PDB file of all heavy atoms in Angstrom:
ATOM      1  N   PHE A  43     -18.812   3.290  -2.805  1.00  0.00           N
ATOM      2  CA  PHE A  43     -19.471   4.140  -3.701  1.00  0.00           C
ATOM      3  C   PHE A  43     -20.830   4.659  -3.140  1.00  0.00           C
ATOM      4  O   PHE A  43     -21.351   3.936  -2.237  1.00  0.00           O
ATOM      5  CB  PHE A  43     -19.729   3.435  -5.037  1.00  0.00           C
ATOM      6  CG  PHE A  43     -18.498   2.964  -5.731  1.00  0.00           C
ATOM      7  CD1 PHE A  43     -18.115   1.641  -5.806  1.00  0.00           C
ATOM      8  CD2 PHE A  43     -17.510   3.877  -6.207  1.00  0.00           C
ATOM      9  CE1 PHE A  43     -17.019   1.126  -6.548  1.00  0.00           C
ATOM     10  CE2 PHE A  43     -16.430   3.368  -6.961  1.00  0.00           C
ATOM     11  CZ  PHE A  43     -16.129   2.000  -7.002  1.00  0.00           C
ATOM     12  N   PRO A  44     -21.280   5.789  -3.518  1.00  0.00           N
ATOM     13  CA  PRO A  44     -22.697   6.185  -3.115  1.00  0.00           C
ATOM     14  C   PRO A  44     -23.753   5.145  -3.426  1.00  0.00           C
ATOM     15  O   PRO A  44     -23.877   4.731  -4.636  1.00  0.00           O
ATOM     16  CB  PRO A  44     -23.020   7.493  -3.944  1.00  0.00           C
ATOM     17  CG  PRO A  44     -21.506   8.107  -4.190  1.00  0.00           C
ATOM     18  CD  PRO A  44     -20.716   6.834  -4.428  1.00  0.00           C
ATOM     19  N   LYS A  45     -24.348   4.576  -2.408  1.00  0.00           N
ATOM     20  CA  LYS A  45     -25.365   3.563  -2.701  1.00  0.00           C
ATOM     21  C   LYS A  45     -26.510   3.867  -3.544  1.00  0.00           C
ATOM     22  O   LYS A  45     -27.087   2.855  -3.995  1.00  0.00           O
ATOM     23  CB  LYS A  45     -25.803   3.040  -1.258  1.00  0.00           C
ATOM     24  CG  LYS A  45     -24.667   2.412  -0.394  1.00  0.00           C
ATOM     25  CD  LYS A  45     -25.250   1.929   0.872  1.00  0.00           C
ATOM     26  CE  LYS A  45     -24.114   1.363   1.834  1.00  0.00           C
ATOM     27  NZ  LYS A  45     -24.712   0.840   3.143  1.00  0.00           N
ATOM     28  N   THR A  46     -26.918   5.059  -3.724  1.00  0.00           N
ATOM     29  CA  THR A  46     -28.047   5.417  -4.354  1.00  0.00           C
ATOM     30  C   THR A  46     -27.814   5.495  -5.844  1.00  0.00           C
ATOM     31  O   THR A  46     -28.637   5.697  -6.691  1.00  0.00           O
ATOM     32  CB  THR A  46     -28.679   6.669  -3.929  1.00  0.00           C
ATOM     33  OG1 THR A  46     -27.694   7.796  -3.957  1.00  0.00           O
ATOM     34  CG2 THR A  46     -29.128   6.497  -2.450  1.00  0.00           C
ATOM     35  N   LEU A  47     -26.505   5.593  -6.275  1.00  0.00           N
ATOM     36  CA  LEU A  47     -26.114   5.778  -7.633  1.00  0.00           C
ATOM     37  C   LEU A  47     -25.944   4.322  -8.386  1.00  0.00           C
ATOM     38  O   LEU A  47     -25.703   3.421  -7.738  1.00  0.00           O
ATOM     39  CB  LEU A  47     -24.741   6.488  -7.802  1.00  0.00           C
ATOM     40  CG  LEU A  47     -24.743   7.943  -7.357  1.00  0.00           C
ATOM     41  CD1 LEU A  47     -23.267   8.535  -7.722  1.00  0.00           C
ATOM     42  CD2 LEU A  47     -25.827   8.778  -8.050  1.00  0.00           C
ATOM     43  N   THR A  48     -26.302   4.301  -9.644  1.00  0.00           N
ATOM     44  CA  THR A  48     -26.243   3.141 -10.435  1.00  0.00           C
ATOM     45  C   THR A  48     -24.652   2.885 -10.778  1.00  0.00           C
ATOM     46  O   THR A  48     -23.941   3.745 -10.757  1.00  0.00           O
ATOM     47  CB  THR A  48     -27.037   3.077 -11.685  1.00  0.00           C
ATOM     48  OG1 THR A  48     -26.568   4.132 -12.579  1.00  0.00           O
ATOM     49  CG2 THR A  48     -28.497   3.438 -11.253  1.00  0.00           C
ATOM     50  N   GLY A  49     -24.463   1.632 -11.160  1.00  0.00           N
ATOM     51  CA  GLY A  49     -23.143   1.300 -11.561  1.00  0.00           C
ATOM     52  C   GLY A  49     -22.733   2.206 -12.805  1.00  0.00           C
ATOM     53  O   GLY A  49     -21.599   2.690 -12.871  1.00  0.00           O
ATOM     54  N   ILE A  52     -21.853   5.750 -11.783  1.00  0.00           N
ATOM     55  CA  ILE A  52     -20.623   5.867 -11.092  1.00  0.00           C
ATOM     56  C   ILE A  52     -19.369   5.843 -12.085  1.00  0.00           C
ATOM     57  O   ILE A  52     -18.527   6.672 -12.011  1.00  0.00           O
ATOM     58  CB  ILE A  52     -20.395   4.782 -10.054  1.00  0.00           C
ATOM     59  CG1 ILE A  52     -21.384   5.055  -8.890  1.00  0.00           C
ATOM     60  CG2 ILE A  52     -18.916   4.657  -9.493  1.00  0.00           C
ATOM     61  CD1 ILE A  52     -21.510   3.970  -7.874  1.00  0.00           C
ATOM     62  N   ARG A  82     -28.669  -0.907 -12.154  1.00  0.00           N
ATOM     63  CA  ARG A  82     -29.080  -1.023 -10.713  1.00  0.00           C
ATOM     64  C   ARG A  82     -28.191  -0.260  -9.763  1.00  0.00           C
ATOM     65  O   ARG A  82     -27.046   0.079 -10.030  1.00  0.00           O
ATOM     66  CB  ARG A  82     -28.748  -2.608 -10.311  1.00  0.00           C
ATOM     67  CG  ARG A  82     -29.837  -3.611 -11.004  1.00  0.00           C
ATOM     68  CD  ARG A  82     -29.338  -4.866 -10.896  1.00  0.00           C
ATOM     69  NE  ARG A  82     -28.973  -5.351  -9.319  1.00  0.00           N
ATOM     70  CZ  ARG A  82     -28.356  -6.462  -8.943  1.00  0.00           C
ATOM     71  NH1 ARG A  82     -28.185  -7.366  -9.892  1.00  0.00           N
ATOM     72  NH2 ARG A  82     -28.098  -6.636  -7.828  1.00  0.00           N
ATOM     73  N   ARG A  83     -28.892   0.087  -8.615  1.00  0.00           N
ATOM     74  CA  ARG A  83     -28.125   0.875  -7.753  1.00  0.00           C
ATOM     75  C   ARG A  83     -27.137   0.057  -7.056  1.00  0.00           C
ATOM     76  O   ARG A  83     -27.440  -1.088  -6.690  1.00  0.00           O
ATOM     77  CB  ARG A  83     -29.109   1.532  -6.666  1.00  0.00           C
ATOM     78  CG  ARG A  83     -30.065   2.559  -7.175  1.00  0.00           C
ATOM     79  CD  ARG A  83     -30.925   3.098  -6.096  1.00  0.00           C
ATOM     80  NE  ARG A  83     -31.863   4.088  -6.757  1.00  0.00           N
ATOM     81  CZ  ARG A  83     -32.796   4.802  -6.068  1.00  0.00           C
ATOM     82  NH1 ARG A  83     -32.824   4.598  -4.772  1.00  0.00           N
ATOM     83  NH2 ARG A  83     -33.527   5.737  -6.608  1.00  0.00           N
ATOM     84  N   CYS A  84     -25.923   0.633  -6.890  1.00  0.00           N
ATOM     85  CA  CYS A  84     -24.845  -0.158  -6.370  1.00  0.00           C
ATOM     86  C   CYS A  84     -24.890  -0.544  -4.962  1.00  0.00           C
ATOM     87  O   CYS A  84     -24.223  -1.411  -4.437  1.00  0.00           O
ATOM     88  CB  CYS A  84     -23.363   0.462  -6.669  1.00  0.00           C
ATOM     89  SG  CYS A  84     -22.998   1.912  -5.642  1.00  0.00           S
ATOM     90  N   GLY A  85     -25.872   0.058  -4.222  1.00  0.00           N
ATOM     91  CA  GLY A  85     -26.102  -0.425  -2.806  1.00  0.00           C
ATOM     92  C   GLY A  85     -26.626  -1.905  -2.783  1.00  0.00           C
ATOM     93  O   GLY A  85     -26.628  -2.440  -1.680  1.00  0.00           O
ATOM     94  N   GLY A  86     -27.139  -2.277  -3.789  1.00  0.00           N
ATOM     95  CA  GLY A  86     -27.706  -3.630  -3.904  1.00  0.00           C
ATOM     96  C   GLY A  86     -26.756  -4.639  -4.544  1.00  0.00           C
ATOM     97  O   GLY A  86     -26.922  -5.843  -4.839  1.00  0.00           O
ATOM     98  N   TYR A  87     -25.448  -4.213  -4.852  1.00  0.00           N
ATOM     99  CA  TYR A  87     -24.429  -5.010  -5.448  1.00  0.00           C
ATOM    100  C   TYR A  87     -23.806  -5.981  -4.293  1.00  0.00           C
ATOM    101  O   TYR A  87     -23.639  -5.506  -3.115  1.00  0.00           O
ATOM    102  CB  TYR A  87     -23.231  -4.225  -5.984  1.00  0.00           C
ATOM    103  CG  TYR A  87     -23.670  -3.645  -7.358  1.00  0.00           C
ATOM    104  CD1 TYR A  87     -24.827  -3.642  -7.908  1.00  0.00           C
ATOM    105  CD2 TYR A  87     -22.461  -2.993  -8.127  1.00  0.00           C
ATOM    106  CE1 TYR A  87     -25.072  -3.122  -9.225  1.00  0.00           C
ATOM    107  CE2 TYR A  87     -22.832  -2.529  -9.364  1.00  0.00           C
ATOM    108  CZ  TYR A  87     -24.073  -2.611  -9.934  1.00  0.00           C
ATOM    109  OH  TYR A  87     -24.229  -2.056 -11.083  1.00  0.00           O
ATOM    110  N   SER A  88     -23.348  -7.152  -4.693  1.00  0.00           N
ATOM    111  CA  SER A  88     -22.636  -7.981  -3.786  1.00  0.00           C
ATOM    112  C   SER A  88     -21.177  -7.479  -3.686  1.00  0.00           C
ATOM    113  O   SER A  88     -20.783  -6.547  -4.510  1.00  0.00           O
ATOM    114  CB  SER A  88     -22.603  -9.393  -4.296  1.00  0.00           C
ATOM    115  OG  SER A  88     -21.870  -9.488  -5.513  1.00  0.00           O
ATOM    116  N   ARG A  92     -19.179  -5.142  -6.441  1.00  0.00           N
ATOM    117  CA  ARG A  92     -18.602  -3.883  -6.103  1.00  0.00           C
ATOM    118  C   ARG A  92     -17.109  -3.867  -6.371  1.00  0.00           C
ATOM    119  O   ARG A  92     -16.520  -2.781  -6.899  1.00  0.00           O
ATOM    120  CB  ARG A  92     -18.627  -3.588  -4.559  1.00  0.00           C
ATOM    121  CG  ARG A  92     -20.141  -3.277  -4.101  1.00  0.00           C
ATOM    122  CD  ARG A  92     -20.163  -2.384  -2.805  1.00  0.00           C
ATOM    123  NE  ARG A  92     -19.559  -3.354  -1.779  1.00  0.00           N
ATOM    124  CZ  ARG A  92     -20.335  -4.296  -1.055  1.00  0.00           C
ATOM    125  NH1 ARG A  92     -21.646  -4.490  -1.399  1.00  0.00           N
ATOM    126  NH2 ARG A  92     -19.723  -4.952  -0.148  1.00  0.00           N
ATOM    127  N   LEU A  95     -16.962  -3.354 -10.071  1.00  0.00           N
ATOM    128  CA  LEU A  95     -17.309  -1.897 -10.358  1.00  0.00           C
ATOM    129  C   LEU A  95     -16.074  -1.021 -10.108  1.00  0.00           C
ATOM    130  O   LEU A  95     -15.731  -0.135 -10.883  1.00  0.00           O
ATOM    131  CB  LEU A  95     -18.472  -1.402  -9.464  1.00  0.00           C
ATOM    132  CG  LEU A  95     -18.934  -0.112  -9.688  1.00  0.00           C
ATOM    133  CD1 LEU A  95     -19.394   0.194 -11.080  1.00  0.00           C
ATOM    134  CD2 LEU A  95     -20.034   0.273  -8.662  1.00  0.00           C
TER     135      LEU A  95
END
Side-chain angles (χ1 to χ4, degrees):
F43 300 111
K45 295 182 179 180
T46 57
L47 295 183
T48 67
I52 288 169
R82 285 172 51 187
R83 294 183 179 182
C84 68
Y87 280 12
S88 66
R92 289 197 300 273
L95 181 60

